[in-house]
């Protein structure tokens, strides 16, 4: 591919001059500090460009504090150029050609033009430095991330039609998808992640390559897979991303429990489509979120029924049972999330929610005793609010009457939990004077009088809150004069 030809502004589908000017103005407003650094590099005879996500996000109306830049300067030279300008510098990624720095409230990463690829048996990329910005852009994952803005001045460089693809909301690769995914197999996961985060569709040739090369994901570290999966699940459209993983066969390698939920349903044995049910539960759990994406809740919704394939039994009359699938599923969830290197607290919380997600169904129409309700609360612990959401999300019946009944029943359980909590909070309140102090003040032995006095002080405490021991003693003496 001739990169100079593809960057021609008159190419059909390429950015027009008006678009270039508008883009420069948008980028200038969003990243003035980048222009300042660009002048510093230019004065030293080096190229610098804003690249990738920060450029893409300007056209999507998204903002962030992190800036990715690329340059022809090698890392050691970059360190020299930012010395005295940056507030802080770190070299964690320097072996991959990246220097990190902070200026004011912004984080910047400057990476030398490069190309990288995986050996078929290696988990680490081989990094080679490139010569030009266009050579650097062609190795990027998708066209929407293969745009840059030369600094200073924010001249838009879009050799592969990224702006056009943003407008069409489609993911394509700058070169062939096979070459892109061969360079870094994690890009297949990233395609699904962008489908989730941005709501973009994935071009058919990209889907075909993902399907053909799904097994290549095995060489990528569990930690990198976990990070992409977490971003996908916490995206705005996780169903689209997950369906793409299943469709292409990637899920069979990174989350095999998910495609296994597509249980065969024959004409004699009836049960829900567990895979579709799971995605609906995920949607309904997300609809209840209040403070942004909740990774633990979403993972629990996604994995709550993973024990069903192992516990499926055919019963008389064409029924199908999944006895104890919540216990089996909790164990499977723990094993999978541990293998993906999720933090221990996330593994424990998600596994516990999977284990508890059926507990409510023993409630019936309110047959639980107060002690049973307390056990439900105790067993859920800090996960109680999430368990409420997961349990409600797990109702996917199309029978409106049944759905309304389940909802009302759970309303009743939550009301009882609130009432019991209120009672126990009241029960924990104590008057300011204990029995021994009452005896000493009134000069009477243990007996009914002390009980009556204690009740008076408790009522006083409930009515007026804390009043202090001195005021309580005065009130007690007044009560004694009037009642003894």
């Amino acid at each position: 591919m001739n990169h100079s030809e593809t960057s021609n502004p008159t190419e059909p589908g390429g950015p027009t001059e008006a678009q270039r000017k508008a883009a420069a103005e948008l980028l200038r407003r969003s990243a003035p500090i980048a222009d300042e650094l660009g002048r510093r590099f230019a004065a030293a005879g080096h190229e610098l460009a804003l690249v990738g996500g920060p450029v893409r996000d300007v056209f999507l109306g998204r903002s962030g504090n992190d800036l990715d830049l690329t340059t022809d300067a090698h890392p050691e030279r970059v360190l020299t150029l930012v010395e005295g300008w940056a507030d802080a510098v770190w070299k964690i990624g320097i072996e991959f050609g990246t220097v990190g720095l902070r200026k004011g409230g912004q984080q910047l990463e400057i990476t030398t033009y490069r190309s990288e690829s995986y050996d078929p048996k290696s988990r680490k990329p081989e990094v080679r430095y490139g010569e030009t910005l266009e050579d650097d852009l062609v190795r990027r994952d998708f066209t929407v991330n293969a745009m840059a803005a030369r600094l200073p001045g924010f001249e838009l460089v879009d050799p592969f039609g990224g702006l056009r693809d943003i407008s069409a909301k489609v993911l394509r690769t700058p070169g062939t998808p096979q070459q892109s995914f061969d360079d870094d197999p994690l890009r297949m996961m990233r395609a699904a992640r962008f489908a989730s985060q941005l709501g973009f569709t994935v071009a058919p040739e990209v889907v075909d390559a993902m399907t053909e090369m799904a097994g290549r994901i095995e060489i990528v570290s569990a930690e990198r897979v976990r990070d992409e999966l977490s971003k996908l699940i916490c995206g705005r459209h996780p169903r689209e991303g997950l369906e793409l993983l299943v469709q292409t066969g990637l899920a069979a390698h990174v989350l095999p429990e998910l495609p296994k939920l597509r249980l065969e349903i024959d004409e004699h044995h009836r049960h829900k489509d567990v895979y579709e049910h799971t995605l609906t539960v995920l949607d309904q759990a997300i609809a209840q979120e209040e403070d942004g994406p909740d990774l633990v809740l979403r993972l629990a919704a996604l994995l709550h029924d993973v024990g069903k394939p192992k516990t499926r039994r055919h019963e008389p009359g064409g029924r199908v049972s999944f006895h104890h699938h919540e216990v089996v599923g909790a164990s499977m969830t723990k094993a999978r999330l541990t293998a993906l290197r999720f933090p221990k607290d996330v593994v424990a919380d998600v596994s516990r929610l999977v284990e508890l997600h059926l507990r409510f169904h023993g409630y019936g129409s309110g047959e639980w005793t107060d002690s049973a309700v307390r056990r439900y609360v105790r067993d859920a612990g800090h996960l109680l609010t999430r368990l409420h959401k997961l349990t409600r999300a797990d109702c996917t019946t199309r029978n409106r009457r049944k759905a309304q009944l389940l909802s009302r029943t759970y309303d009743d359980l939550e009301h009882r939990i609130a009432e019991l909590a209120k009672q126990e909070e009241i029960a924990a309140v104590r008057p300011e004077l204990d029995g021994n102090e009452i005896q000493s003040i009134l000069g009477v032995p243990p007996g009914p009088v002390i009980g009556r006095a204690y009740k008076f002080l408790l009522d006083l405490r409930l009515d007026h809150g804390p009043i202090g021991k001195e005021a309580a003693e005065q009130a007690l003496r007044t009560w004694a004069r009037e009642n003894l």
Side-chain angles (χ1 to χ4, degrees):
M1 179 180 291
N2 187 319
H3 298 153
S4 61
E5 289 178 2
T6 58
S7 60
N8 188 331
T10 62
E11 179 191 4
T16 64
E17 188 59 31
Q19 286 175 319
R20 288 174 182 276
K21 287 182 179 178
E25 184 57 32
L26 281 172
L27 291 162
R28 187 175 290 108
R29 288 182 205 161
S30 69
I33 202 169
D35 216 31
E36 180 183 331
L37 187 58
R39 288 191 291 273
R40 192 179 184 92
F41 271 64
H46 286 287
E47 297 177 1
L48 186 69
L50 191 64
V51 71
V55 180
R56 175 200 70 218
D57 287 347
V58 163
F59 298 112
L60 289 172
R62 293 152 51 106
S63 61
N65 285 325
D66 296 346
L67 299 177
D68 295 330
L69 301 111
T70 188
T71 181
D72 61 344
H74 285 205
E76 296 76 15
R77 179 63 173 152
V78 171
L79 289 173
T80 301
L81 290 171
V82 301
E83 185 178 356
W85 182 83
D87 297 328
V89 177
W90 51 93
K91 307 176 185 178
I92 295 174
I94 201 164
E95 65 179 301
F96 299 111
T98 299
V99 173
L101 56 99
R102 177 174 53 80
K103 177 71 171 178
Q106 288 195 301
Q107 306 255 51
L108 300 89
E109 281 195 350
I110 306 174
T111 302
T112 304
Y113 296 156
R114 68 187 186 187
S115 61
E116 62 185 31
S117 61
Y118 277 86
D119 181 275
K121 297 181 181 179
S122 172
R123 289 178 180 269
K124 293 186 177 180
E126 175 190 349
V127 175
R128 296 189 301 272
Y129 294 138
E131 299 294 328
T132 68
L133 175 58
E134 285 76 8
D135 286 338
D136 182 83
L137 294 179
V138 75
R139 58 155 283 276
R140 304 259 163 187
D141 52 5
F142 303 105
T143 60
V144 298
N145 295 327
M147 298 184 294
R150 292 187 185 276
L151 301 168
F154 295 102
E155 176 197 348
L156 183 65
V157 181
D158 182 17
F160 308 107
L163 198 57
R164 174 196 61 209
D165 288 343
I166 285 176
S167 179
K169 294 189 174 181
V170 64
L171 284 177
R172 295 187 304 110
T173 53
T176 68
Q178 288 80 5
Q179 182 61 53
S180 181
F181 298 152
D182 203 44
D183 285 348
D184 184 355
L186 189 67
R187 290 174 175 175
M188 296 184 287
M189 290 284 297
R190 205 169 290 146
R193 189 245 290 185
F194 283 131
S196 168
Q197 286 185 327
L198 305 178
F200 280 26
T201 58
V202 180
E205 69 274 14
V206 178
V207 174
D208 290 344
M210 292 169 67
T211 305
E212 171 193 336
M213 303 175 67
R216 287 276 285 151
I217 198 67
E218 296 282 356
I219 72 166
V220 181
S221 71
E223 290 82 0
R224 294 183 75 206
V225 170
R226 172 204 63 208
D227 290 346
E228 286 298 328
L229 186 61
S230 296
K231 291 173 184 176
L232 184 163
I233 290 171
C234 288
R236 294 180 62 188
H237 314 276
R239 175 189 278 262
E240 284 81 349
L242 292 166
E243 287 178 334
L244 185 60
L245 291 184
V246 172
Q247 174 192 346
T248 58
L250 276 164
H253 298 278
V254 301
L255 196 65
E257 295 79 6
L258 184 59
K260 286 180 180 177
L261 293 176
R262 295 186 297 181
L263 301 176
E264 293 181 3
I265 305 174
D266 62 44
E267 58 182 309
H268 303 295
H269 297 94
R270 301 179 300 278
H271 60 80
K272 287 181 181 178
D273 181 330
V274 183
Y275 172 68
E276 282 298 325
H277 163 75
T278 294
L279 294 179
T280 301
V281 172
L282 176 61
D283 289 339
Q284 294 184 167
I286 291 170
Q288 298 177 73
E289 289 176 338
E290 298 157 324
D291 300 309
D294 182 339
L295 178 63
V296 168
L297 176 63
R298 293 188 182 199
L299 282 170
L302 186 63
L303 299 171
H304 77 286
D305 273 349
V306 293
K308 280 191 170 181
K310 281 191 175 181
T311 58
R312 180 170 64 159
R313 298 289 182 272
H314 294 316
E315 305 288 354
R319 293 188 308 105
V320 176
S321 66
F322 304 96
H323 295 308
H324 306 300
H325 77 268
E326 73 281 13
V327 177
V328 173
S331 177
M332 293 172 63
T333 295
K334 183 178 181 180
R336 175 54 53 199
L337 297 184
T338 300
L340 286 169
R341 305 288 194 273
F342 276 93
K344 289 182 179 178
D345 60 331
V346 173
V347 175
D349 287 352
V350 177
S351 302
R352 187 61 167 158
L353 285 169
V354 171
E355 182 182 359
L356 293 174
H357 83 273
L358 281 187
R359 182 75 66 85
F360 159 70
H361 294 285
Y363 185 72
S365 57
E367 287 84 1
W368 279 1
T369 62
D370 285 352
S371 61
V373 174
R374 290 190 187 97
R375 279 195 297 275
Y376 185 79
V377 173
R378 180 198 63 199
D379 290 348
H382 70 282
L383 297 170
L384 182 61
T385 299
R386 286 184 172 125
L387 183 57
H388 288 333
K389 294 175 181 176
L390 178 60
T391 302
R392 290 184 181 277
D394 195 25
C395 175
T396 61
T397 178
R398 295 180 181 177
N399 184 320
R400 182 176 297 181
R401 182 171 170 275
K402 184 178 179 182
Q404 290 175 341
L405 177 60
L406 284 169
S407 180
R408 285 197 300 270
T409 304
Y410 205 82
D411 287 344
D412 180 67
L413 174 58
E414 286 199 66
H415 176 73
R416 286 185 63 187
I417 289 172
E419 286 299 310
L420 286 172
K422 192 182 299 181
Q423 290 172 20
E424 289 173 8
E425 185 179 331
I426 291 172
V429 174
R430 296 289 183 269
E432 260 114 347
L433 303 173
D434 63 22
N436 291 329
E437 290 170 316
I438 293 171
Q439 290 178 52
S440 175
I441 291 167
L442 297 183
V444 297
V449 170
I450 302 302
R452 288 166 55 203
Y454 186 91
K455 183 178 183 305
F456 161 75
L457 290 173
L458 179 57
D459 289 341
L460 187 70
R461 174 74 169 78
L462 292 171
D463 289 341
H464 301 285
I467 60 173
K469 286 200 172 188
E470 186 177 335
E473 180 178 341
Q474 184 178 349
L476 176 63
R477 292 185 185 280
T478 300
W479 174 84
R481 286 195 299 270
E482 296 173 356
N483 293 276
L484 297 182

